[in-house]
Tab-separated table of all heavy atoms in Angstrom:
chain	number	residue	atom	x	y	z
A	195	GLY	N	35.234	75.917	46.511
A	195	GLY	CA	34.703	75.283	47.806
A	195	GLY	C	35.719	75.276	48.868
A	195	GLY	O	35.336	75.045	50.053
A	196	ALA	N	36.948	75.472	48.581
A	196	ALA	CA	38.035	75.356	49.627
A	196	ALA	C	37.882	76.476	50.602
A	196	ALA	O	38.008	76.294	51.868
A	196	ALA	CB	39.392	75.352	49.045
A	197	GLN	N	37.514	77.674	50.174
A	197	GLN	CA	37.336	78.822	51.086
A	197	GLN	C	36.124	78.640	52.036
A	197	GLN	O	36.239	78.856	53.236
A	197	GLN	CB	37.148	80.113	50.254
A	197	GLN	CG	37.125	81.364	51.132
A	197	GLN	CD	37.068	82.643	50.332
A	197	GLN	OE1	37.007	82.580	49.143
A	197	GLN	NE2	36.948	83.734	50.972
A	198	ALA	N	35.092	78.118	51.484
A	198	ALA	CA	33.899	77.833	52.298
A	198	ALA	C	34.222	76.780	53.376
A	198	ALA	O	33.821	76.858	54.521
A	198	ALA	CB	32.715	77.354	51.443
A	199	LYS	N	35.039	75.700	53.012
A	199	LYS	CA	35.461	74.764	53.935
A	199	LYS	C	36.291	75.300	55.047
A	199	LYS	O	36.160	74.981	56.222
A	199	LYS	CB	36.206	73.615	53.207
A	199	LYS	CG	36.591	72.437	54.119
A	199	LYS	CD	37.281	71.325	53.307
A	199	LYS	CE	37.587	70.189	54.175
A	199	LYS	NZ	38.363	70.515	55.399
A	200	ASP	N	37.168	76.221	54.674
A	200	ASP	CA	38.022	76.897	55.680
A	200	ASP	C	37.170	77.674	56.723
A	200	ASP	O	37.447	77.652	57.898
A	200	ASP	CB	39.060	77.860	55.043
A	200	ASP	CG	40.101	77.106	54.291
A	200	ASP	OD1	40.238	75.862	54.438
A	200	ASP	OD2	40.889	77.736	53.499
A	201	ILE	N	36.146	78.374	56.241
A	201	ILE	CA	35.228	79.122	57.107
A	201	ILE	C	34.539	78.219	58.044
A	201	ILE	O	34.478	78.425	59.242
A	201	ILE	CB	34.237	79.917	56.266
A	201	ILE	CG1	34.987	81.049	55.506
A	201	ILE	CG2	33.143	80.532	57.178
A	201	ILE	CD1	34.103	81.776	54.474
A	202	ASP	N	34.075	77.081	57.601
A	202	ASP	CA	33.380	76.057	58.361
A	202	ASP	C	34.278	75.499	59.447
A	202	ASP	O	33.923	75.330	60.589
A	202	ASP	CB	32.829	74.913	57.503
A	202	ASP	CG	31.649	75.295	56.645
A	202	ASP	OD1	31.059	76.380	56.952
A	202	ASP	OD2	31.305	74.567	55.749
A	203	ASP	N	35.580	75.230	59.032
A	203	ASP	CA	36.584	74.721	59.979
A	203	ASP	C	36.816	75.700	61.100
A	203	ASP	O	36.949	75.339	62.268
A	203	ASP	CB	37.867	74.355	59.252
A	203	ASP	CG	37.684	73.081	58.404
A	203	ASP	OD1	36.695	72.351	58.539
A	203	ASP	OD2	38.564	72.820	57.559
A	204	ASP	N	36.929	76.991	60.637
A	204	ASP	CA	37.166	78.075	61.750
A	204	ASP	C	36.086	78.115	62.705
A	204	ASP	O	36.232	78.233	63.895
A	204	ASP	CB	37.363	79.441	61.005
A	204	ASP	CG	38.690	79.602	60.409
A	204	ASP	OD1	39.606	78.772	60.715
A	204	ASP	OD2	38.847	80.513	59.584
A	205	GLN	N	34.807	78.031	62.200
A	205	GLN	CA	33.632	78.061	63.091
A	205	GLN	C	33.602	76.848	64.018
A	205	GLN	O	33.219	77.027	65.194
A	205	GLN	CB	32.329	78.192	62.278
A	205	GLN	CG	32.152	79.508	61.524
A	205	GLN	CD	30.960	79.503	60.544
A	205	GLN	OE1	30.416	78.474	60.222
A	205	GLN	NE2	30.567	80.691	60.220
A	206	ASP	N	33.919	75.665	63.527
A	206	ASP	CA	34.078	74.482	64.320
A	206	ASP	C	34.975	74.676	65.452
A	206	ASP	O	34.804	74.271	66.588
A	206	ASP	CB	34.364	73.218	63.502
A	206	ASP	CG	33.209	72.787	62.640
A	206	ASP	OD1	32.075	73.179	62.884
A	206	ASP	OD2	33.444	71.973	61.742
A	207	ARG	N	36.200	75.218	65.102
A	207	ARG	CA	37.282	75.435	66.119
A	207	ARG	C	36.784	76.352	67.225
A	207	ARG	O	37.035	76.205	68.382
A	207	ARG	CB	38.539	75.962	65.504
A	207	ARG	CG	39.354	74.869	64.817
A	207	ARG	CD	40.799	75.343	64.430
A	207	ARG	NE	40.807	76.332	63.452
A	207	ARG	CZ	40.762	76.019	62.116
A	207	ARG	NH1	40.800	74.787	61.718
A	207	ARG	NH2	40.759	77.033	61.198
A	208	LYS	N	36.115	77.483	66.780
A	208	LYS	CA	35.572	78.470	67.725
A	208	LYS	C	34.563	77.889	68.633
A	208	LYS	O	34.494	78.179	69.819
A	208	LYS	CB	35.057	79.660	67.015
A	208	LYS	CG	36.158	80.611	66.370
A	208	LYS	CD	35.491	81.685	65.548
A	208	LYS	CE	36.568	82.503	64.878
A	208	LYS	NZ	35.974	83.601	64.012
Side-chain angles (χ1 to χ4, degrees):
Q197 187 176 359
K199 184 179 183 304
D200 288 347
I201 292 170
D202 289 344
D203 289 346
D204 283 346
Q205 289 174 344
D206 286 346
R207 278 193 295 275
K208 287 177 184 174

